[in-house]
Amino acid sequence: MRQHHQEPAPVGEEAVPARPGAPEREDGGRPETSAPHPRRAPVPALSWLLPALLVLGLGSWGLSLPSIDFRSMGDYGLLDRLPVTFYASLVILTAGFLVALRRAGTSPGWPLVYCVGLLVALKAAPAVLYDSVRYPWASKHDAVVNTILGAGELRPHAALSGNMSAYDQWPGFFALNAALVRAFGVESTAVYLNWAPIVLGLILLPVLVLLYRTFTEDWRLVWTAVWIFQLANWVGQDYLAPQGLAYVLHLTVLAVVLRHFVRPGSAGRLRDRAALDPAAAAVPPSTTTRQRAVGVLILSPLILAVNAVHQLTPVMLCVVLAVLCLTRRYRNLGLLAVTGLIMLTWNLTMGRPLFLETLGTLKDSLGRLTQNSRAGYTGQLTGPGPELAGRAGIAMALAVVLFAGIAVLARRRLTRGALPLLLASAAPLPLFAVNDYGGEMLFRVYLFGLPGAAFFAAAALVPAAGGARRSRAAVTRRRVTAVALPAALLALTAGFLPAYYGKDAMYYTPPAETALVARAIDGMPAGGLLLATSGSFPQALHRYDEVEHWWFCEQDPAENKRMLADPARYLADRIPRGVTAQVVLTRTQDIYTSGEGLLPAGGFTVLRDRLKASPLFRTVEEHPYGIVLVHTPSTTTPGGAS
């Protein structure tokens, strides 16, 4: 007998069993049935409300942009430059999304439209406003693309300064962008670089929906998980960089595996609706050995693309597939073997230099949990904005994990069905014991665990449909959810803003500073040495294939304090004899070294003033946004190597 398909009830409401063939309510709930107790009348559809709130929310956002004075950012970055209308737009979009959830079962397009609107409202402001690249270090990716276009070849085994050899060893992302630059006829990737978070976010939306629909039939849960993912994705790894593209490919492979690699006879009771959470989806149809073998062949180009784009993501993919093998449902050793073989082959050929170097450092980093889980070079953010951003990021991560933990414990039948997603999210955690990945392992583990964490966090906030509406437990759940869901979404929104924008004073660079750096490097001879406190300033790696680099403050802060006692002698003694060396100190470096705790308060000013006053260095060009000094070796004693 054909079963009547039932849509989930609206958020915060419980559904009552429907008569076979009875029509569904427009808001996605159940039709009225005869009952001994009186019922409240259904809420009118108000079809005009959803487009009205969307237009009002995006309109408020657009009207707020001209009043954002991003050029005068202070301690709190962009956070205290955003007008009230900007914050109001996020509240309005959240309200519209909550209304859209009530009709998610019959009109899933509206939550999608609101998720796109949220993505734009959260991350498009820098792309619209900034007259330079957001994230100064992103300019090195533009430099790699320009070098590929200029040289017309890859040099994976060349020894390039500033750890730039790795980009020729994993060139997929840069080769793709070189092709895009040629196809679009633009000067460089800087033309579209700031739009990368929007483009990658739009590409990721259908992948997340596919992933979540594997484990739930409740559209409310799907879209709430997508919404939470966007709010909790504050780590800034979606800019124009290999990680952003590799992350999309990684989740695409995972979504295909979870939907099309189920082993026969492995689902057990999970194919019985009575054993499932009311919101859970049945386990996808099983596939034969031959079908899975064909699936491996189809996925191999995607897996190869992941390896061509990024160093760490293939490791994450292998770890996730290995953990999935612990379940009978996805014990696909062949897929794991192929994935591992592709990774190993790439690492021993194109990526051999960095791979061998990394193996040599594993002995020192293995098992150092505290060191490997630090954020950045020191992990000691200083200043109101960076400190607030750090606390907000930690609070966001803890909140998502807390909500996810509540769902894992409270909705055990849903957890049983979605166990592979839970395992895939927890799989990257042991990587803390392996390596610190240049101070970024903390962010990468969080990023790769976020899709599953967002799903279970949403499950804690969106109650399961079904059950008697008149039961006391159902009424309690409805009342709690009616408050908890909007409160949680607004709280996550409030946390996202400082976590994402609280450090923008070090992310935005005036064009004049960029021009100063470019002039300084263009004036250096091939083989010259560029000195700077860190590599986080615009055009830092311009001509990286011709000029050597030394970021002399990217070391232990205690050593930097010793350096400040006599910075001119400290640097001069480490500049090789006969090498033309220039020191470039910029406003962005000042903010970065202070905010990241590399130099003590006022340390950058001390460094600049003492270098200017020393006969060991001569000022070439000085402006309020930066200074260029050249080393004068005639007044120094022979030095060592940097």
Side-chain angles (χ1 to χ4, degrees):
M1 179 182 295
R2 182 179 178 182
Q3 293 183 341
H4 177 66
H5 179 70
Q6 296 184 353
E7 294 289 349
V11 175
E13 294 188 16
E14 298 295 330
V16 296
R19 296 187 304 271
E24 299 177 45
R25 291 208 322 247
E26 186 180 7
D27 66 357
R30 300 297 179 204
E32 298 289 345
T33 59
S34 59
H37 296 277
R39 298 282 303 280
R40 292 184 300 175
V43 179
L46 297 179
S47 57
W48 58 268
L49 186 58
L50 289 174
L53 289 174
L54 182 67
V55 171
L56 181 60
L58 292 180
S60 298
W61 177 82
L63 291 174
S64 71
L65 297 183
S67 60
I68 298 176
D69 186 11
F70 61 92
R71 293 185 179 88
S72 64
M73 286 185 288
D75 290 338
Y76 290 97
L78 203 60
L79 193 61
D80 59 356
R81 295 296 184 269
L82 300 174
V84 174
T85 49
F86 184 93
Y87 295 104
S89 70
L90 298 178
V91 175
I92 295 169
L93 289 174
T94 302
F97 175 72
L98 292 170
V99 174
L101 281 185
R102 296 177 62 86
R103 300 180 60 190
T106 55
S107 301
W110 277 114
L112 169 62
V113 171
Y114 271 92
C115 284
V116 173
L118 178 71
L119 175 65
V120 171
L122 289 178
K123 296 185 175 180
V128 175
L129 295 174
Y130 287 6
D131 49 10
S132 64
V133 171
R134 187 176 190 252
Y135 300 128
W137 53 85
S139 63
K140 69 181 177 181
H141 300 147
D142 183 50
V144 175
V145 173
N146 292 337
T147 301
I148 290 177
L149 288 171
E153 63 177 358
L154 296 171
R155 291 164 289 179
H157 301 292
L160 300 175
S161 177
N163 295 322
M164 296 300 286
S165 301
Y167 295 120
D168 275 17
Q169 295 166 24
W170 280 268
F173 172 81
F174 305 104
L176 172 63
N177 277 276
L180 292 176
V181 168
R182 286 282 172 83
F184 295 154
V186 296
E187 183 179 353
S188 69
T189 62
V191 174
Y192 57 83
L193 194 150
N194 284 348
W195 288 99
I198 308 302
V199 175
L200 290 174
L202 291 175
I203 296 173
L204 197 57
L205 272 175
V207 179
L208 289 172
V209 171
L210 182 66
L211 190 64
Y212 295 149
R213 283 290 287 175
T214 304
F215 299 103
T216 182
E217 294 181 349
D218 189 344
W219 277 109
R220 304 169 309 153
L221 180 52
V222 170
W223 291 118
T224 304
V226 171
W227 192 273
I228 290 175
F229 176 89
Q230 293 189 140
L231 291 175
N233 187 15
W234 53 265
V235 294
Q237 294 298 332
D238 53 359
Y239 68 105
L240 194 73
Q243 176 67 95
L245 177 59
Y247 186 64
V248 173
L249 296 174
H250 166 86
L251 289 183
T252 302
V253 172
L254 180 60
V256 173
V257 169
L258 292 175
R259 291 187 71 89
H260 299 290
F261 278 72
V262 178
R263 293 169 58 89
S266 60
R269 292 190 61 206
L270 294 178
R271 295 201 185 278
D272 181 4
R273 292 297 313 178
L276 295 174
D277 184 278
V283 176
S286 59
T287 51
T288 64
T289 302
R290 180 178 180 180
Q291 288 173 324
R292 293 195 299 277
V294 173
V296 172
L297 292 176
I298 294 174
L299 285 179
S300 292
L302 274 180
I303 298 171
L304 179 61
V306 173
N307 283 270
V309 167
H310 198 235
Q311 309 99 311
L312 180 64
T313 306
V315 178
M316 293 287 191
L317 183 58
C318 284
V319 170
V320 169
L321 293 178
V323 169
L324 288 179
C325 285
L326 299 177
T327 67
R328 291 183 62 241
R329 210 185 313 175
Y330 295 103
R331 191 170 296 151
N332 296 290
L333 298 177
L335 176 62
L336 176 60
V338 169
T339 304
L341 181 62
I342 292 175
M343 181 180 69
L344 187 61
T345 301
W346 189 279
N347 287 341
L348 293 178
T349 52
M350 285 289 290
R352 180 181 175 86
L354 183 62
F355 178 65
L356 295 179
E357 178 184 338
T358 302
L359 288 180
T361 64
L362 286 181
K363 181 180 179 181
D364 295 330
S365 60
L366 195 64
R368 300 174 63 180
L369 296 178
T370 303
Q371 183 73 8
N372 292 346
S373 61
R374 81 191 196 283
Y377 291 98
T378 65
Q380 299 295 325
L381 299 174
T382 59
E387 290 175 359
L388 177 61
R391 289 194 295 267
I394 293 173
M396 291 276 285
L398 292 177
V400 173
V401 171
L402 175 62
F403 284 126
I406 292 173
V408 169
L409 296 176
R411 300 185 66 172
R412 283 172 288 186
R413 289 196 296 171
L414 179 64
T415 302
R416 192 179 303 118
L419 181 61
L421 183 58
L422 179 63
L423 293 176
S425 295
L429 287 174
L431 292 179
F432 279 135
V434 178
N435 196 270
D436 70 341
Y437 198 67
E440 293 191 5
M441 186 60 76
L442 176 67
F443 301 123
R444 305 304 170 97
V445 168
Y446 174 79
L447 181 66
F448 281 89
L450 183 56
F455 175 82
F456 285 100
L461 297 167
V462 178
R469 187 185 297 242
R470 65 192 180 192
S471 70
R472 182 173 300 176
V475 171
T476 301
R477 286 197 300 269
R478 184 172 69 248
R479 290 175 177 173
V480 170
T481 303
V483 175
L485 179 58
L489 297 186
L490 289 175
L492 291 175
T493 304
F496 173 89
L497 293 172
Y500 194 73
Y501 287 122
K503 297 164 63 175
D504 258 55
M506 69 175 70
Y507 296 161
Y508 168 74
T509 303
E513 179 181 333
T514 302
L516 171 69
V517 176
R519 285 196 303 271
I521 297 178
D522 283 336
M524 297 181 66
L529 176 63
L530 176 70
L531 287 76
T533 57
S534 73
S536 294
F537 63 100
Q539 296 296 319
L541 289 156
H542 176 50
R543 292 181 62 203
Y544 69 88
D545 56 333
E546 299 177 344
V547 175
E548 298 291 316
H549 306 84
W550 177 24
W551 317 135
F552 57 85
C553 282
E554 291 186 354
Q555 58 185 356
D556 188 274
E559 181 65 19
N560 286 334
K561 289 183 179 180
R562 289 190 288 270
M563 178 268 296
L564 287 176
D566 189 357
R569 176 57 59 186
Y570 184 94
L571 298 180
D573 287 349
R574 290 161 176 78
I575 296 174
R577 173 179 288 184
V579 172
T580 300
Q582 285 191 159
V583 179
V584 176
L585 303 176
T586 68
R587 162 195 168 277
T588 304
Q589 292 179 52
D590 185 1
I591 298 172
Y592 181 84
T593 54
S594 174
E596 294 293 325
L598 295 175
L599 292 176
F604 189 89
T605 301
V606 171
L607 170 67
R608 183 191 59 208
D609 292 346
R610 289 181 177 176
L611 287 179
K612 283 177 57 179
S614 172
L616 300 176
F617 291 88
R618 174 174 54 86
T619 301
V620 175
E621 187 174 359
E622 183 176 9
H623 301 279
Y625 42 80
I627 184 173
V628 179
L629 306 105
V630 63
H631 177 224
T632 53
S634 60
T635 63
T636 69
T637 57
S642 62

